[in-house]
């Protein structure tokens, strides 16, 4: 086991190099196909200049992760239960990416009865998320042999884990997966923000999985880190590529799944403090707006737009949010060790 962490880190580096190499041609293909992002009209002039920037960049993350993870573990997937367990987060990654891809495509095309840029109806999108998350939660609950840490709740600081009954575990897991999927989606509003925050969170859970002896999950986490870094090569300000819902829904749902598989999902609000805070800001904004008859608690939600309208530059917001995200990820790992 001593050499497994260096190997996982090396594989993450390989994922980064491969992503950077094929990312340039991929961006050019999207540009030629005019797969361009549509921007909400209420956002400022700086965002309006981004109209037409290639989107669906999540493909740049998802495709190499799936190929590398399966390529490294194909024998283990066939022979062992723990090896086969890696198929579940990969299924989450691919299925939510496909949902996001459909949403991105609908946002690009002109649809009947919906203006350009709106994507799938919210009910359809949420219903698909619930269906996928329920399937995943049910599989984890029934397939206990391959998810030895999943059907429990680890209590930080106390060093104990409490078993959870399927009746509670399934709806709880569904909530975690959907919440984190939408949280990363809300965070994806500035160049480089969602990618760097998600990479930090996966690195934290990669370390936690390693400490638990979940080697296959450790490899997957660091492959995702490398792929996110490759995406950031093209998404750093000024962005040449946006991940779109293809990336944000997939990464968020996979992060939630990984947290459940480690049993350390109570640490998720700490490790992923930025996406969680972004989501809370939207909930508070909507609630306050409705109860006060139109007044706003924040200048604009999600929270990164509040700071943007307060005069912070896009780069300042991303760098400061990343510092918070990195420190919170470190604290989360420390709590998992206690």
């Amino acid at each position: 086991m001593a050499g497994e962490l260096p190997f996982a880190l090396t594989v993450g580096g390989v994922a980064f190099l491969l992503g950077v190499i094929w990312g340039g041609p991929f961006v050019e293909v999207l540009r030629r196909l005019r797969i361009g992002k549509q921007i909400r009209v209420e956002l400022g002039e700086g965002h309006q200049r981004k109209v037409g920037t290639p989107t669906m960049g999540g493909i740049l993350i998802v495709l190499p992760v799936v190929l590398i993870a399966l390529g490294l573990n194909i024998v283990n997937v066939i022979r062992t239960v723990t090896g086969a367990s890696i198929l579940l987060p990969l299924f989450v990654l691919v299925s939510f990416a496909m949902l996001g891809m459909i949403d991105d495509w609908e946002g690009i095309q002109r649809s009947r009865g919906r203006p350009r840029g709106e994507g799938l109806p919210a009910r359809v999108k949420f219903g698909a998320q619930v269906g996928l998350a329920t399937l995943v939660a049910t599989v984890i609950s029934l397939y206990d042999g391959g998810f030895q840490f999943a059907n429990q709740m680890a209590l930080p600081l106390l060093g104990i884990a409490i078993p959870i009954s399927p009746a509670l575990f399934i709806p709880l897991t569904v909530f975690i997966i959907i919440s984190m999927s939408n949280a990363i989606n809300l965070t994806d509003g500035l160049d480089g923000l969602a990618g760097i925050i998600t990479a930090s969170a996966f690195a934290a859970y990669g370390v936690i999985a390693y400490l638990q002896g979940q080697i296959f999950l450790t490899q997957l986490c660091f492959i995702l880190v490398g792929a996110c870094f490759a995406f950031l090569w093209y998404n750093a300000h000024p962005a040449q590529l946006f991940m779109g819902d293809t990336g944000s829904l997939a990464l968020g749902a996979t992060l939630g799944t990984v947290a459940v598989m480690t049993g350390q999902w109570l640490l998720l609000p700490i490790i992923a403090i930025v996406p969680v805070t972004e989501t809370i800001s939207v909930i508070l904004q909507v609630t306050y707006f409705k109860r006060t008859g139109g007044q706003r608690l924040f200048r604009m939600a999600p929270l990164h737009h509040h700071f943007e309208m307060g005069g912070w530059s896009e780069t300042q917001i991303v760098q400061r949010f990343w510092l918070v995200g990195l420190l919170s990820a470190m604290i989360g790992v420390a709590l998992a060790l206690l």
Side-chain angles (χ1 to χ4, degrees):
M1 181 174 168
E4 295 294 345
L5 184 58
F7 179 74
L9 294 171
T10 301
V11 173
V14 171
F16 168 75
L17 290 174
L18 292 177
V20 170
I21 290 171
W22 84 282
F26 175 67
V27 172
E28 184 59 30
V29 168
L30 291 179
R31 186 176 289 116
R32 289 179 180 272
L33 293 176
R34 297 182 180 179
I35 308 295
K37 177 70 174 178
Q38 304 301 309
I39 306 296
R40 290 156 49 192
V41 295
E42 61 266 28
L43 294 180
E45 181 181 346
H47 287 274
Q48 297 306 320
R49 289 196 293 267
K50 300 178 183 181
V51 172
T53 300
T55 187
M56 292 191 187
I59 298 173
L60 183 63
I61 301 173
V62 173
L63 187 58
V65 168
V66 173
L67 293 177
I68 293 174
L70 287 181
L72 288 173
N73 295 289
I74 189 65
V75 175
N76 293 316
V77 166
I78 296 173
R79 290 183 176 179
T80 68
V81 173
T82 54
S85 66
I86 199 176
L87 293 176
L88 187 71
L90 286 178
F91 168 77
V92 173
L93 185 71
V94 172
S95 60
F96 275 81
M98 292 177 66
L99 174 62
M101 191 182 303
I102 295 171
D103 189 43
D104 286 335
W105 182 253
E106 288 294 313
I108 294 168
Q109 301 300 312
R110 291 187 181 273
S111 308
R112 292 181 180 179
R114 292 201 309 277
R116 188 181 181 100
E118 284 195 359
L120 286 173
R123 290 183 180 179
V124 174
K125 185 176 175 181
F126 182 72
Q129 289 178 307
V130 171
L132 290 171
T134 301
L135 175 61
V136 171
T138 303
V139 169
I140 295 177
S141 179
L142 296 176
Y143 189 41
D144 188 41
F147 307 100
Q148 62 269 37
F149 296 97
N151 292 278
Q152 62 185 24
M153 177 176 63
L155 299 178
L157 300 179
L158 299 180
I160 60 175
I162 302 175
I164 304 177
S165 66
L168 178 60
F169 175 80
I170 291 176
L172 185 61
T173 300
V174 170
F175 173 77
I176 292 171
I177 293 174
I178 295 176
S179 297
M180 191 49 54
S181 179
N182 290 314
I184 299 297
N185 186 239
L186 290 171
T187 305
D188 184 29
L190 299 177
D191 296 351
L193 180 57
I196 193 68
I197 293 298
T198 307
S200 300
F202 275 117
Y205 273 107
V207 173
I208 292 173
Y210 172 74
L211 295 172
Q212 295 178 336
Q214 297 199 70
I215 302 305
F216 304 111
L217 194 59
T218 301
Q219 290 179 9
L220 178 63
C221 285
F222 284 107
I223 293 170
L224 279 160
V225 171
C228 286
F229 282 170
F231 167 75
L232 286 167
W233 186 273
Y234 298 97
N235 184 242
H237 185 73
Q240 301 171 257
L241 178 68
F242 296 143
M243 70 167 62
D245 284 15
T246 305
S248 60
L249 294 183
L251 290 175
T254 306
L255 179 60
T257 303
V258 167
V260 170
M261 289 177 66
T262 62
Q264 294 284 1
W265 49 267
L266 281 179
L267 295 176
L268 192 56
I270 298 174
I271 292 175
I273 191 171
V274 172
V276 170
T277 304
E278 296 268 32
T279 304
I280 292 174
S281 72
V282 172
I283 295 172
L284 291 175
Q285 181 84 322
V286 172
T287 303
Y288 190 80
F289 185 87
K290 289 181 177 179
R291 295 196 173 186
T292 59
Q295 297 183 34
R296 296 177 183 271
L297 184 61
F298 302 100
R299 299 183 187 95
M300 191 174 181
L303 191 60
H304 56 263
H305 290 314
H306 170 79
F307 289 106
E308 192 175 25
M309 295 184 72
W312 288 19
S313 70
E314 191 166 353
T315 304
Q316 284 178 315
I317 297 170
V318 172
Q319 289 178 343
R320 290 168 180 173
F321 276 36
W322 175 66
L323 291 175
V324 173
L326 180 60
L327 288 172
S328 64
M330 292 167 59
I331 293 171
V333 173
L335 290 173
L337 290 171
L338 295 176

